[in-house]
Amino acid sequence: MRNDIPGRRAETDESQADLAAAVGVTRQTINAIERERYDPSLELAFDLADHFDCRIEDLFDPED
């Protein structure tokens, strides 16, 4: 599933480790999501959207 997490992290100047700590997962999980090797749980998707103050649909595109 395509996502805009790298772009959002760049806008906020956050590292993968910073984001991981903020949403309670490992840096490896963030890396896997960004590389489209892992689809986050619904709970994690909501946490990421909340962190970036956006909708889940703004972060993830299941159609691509």
Side-chain angles (χ1 to χ4, degrees), residues 1 23 25 29 33 38-49 56 60:
M1 177 177 352
V23 296
V25 297
T29 298
I33 293 169
Y38 172 75
D39 291 336
S41 67
L42 188 56
E43 180 180 359
L44 179 52
F46 272 107
D47 289 344
L48 288 164
I56 290 175
F60 299 97

Side-chain angles (χ1 to χ4, degrees), residues 20-39:
V23 296
V25 297
T26 65
R27 183 200 59 79
Q28 291 85 350
T29 298
I30 299 299
N31 182 273
I33 293 169
E34 287 185 0
R35 297 181 75 191
E36 300 173 14
R37 295 178 181 220
Y38 172 75
D39 291 336

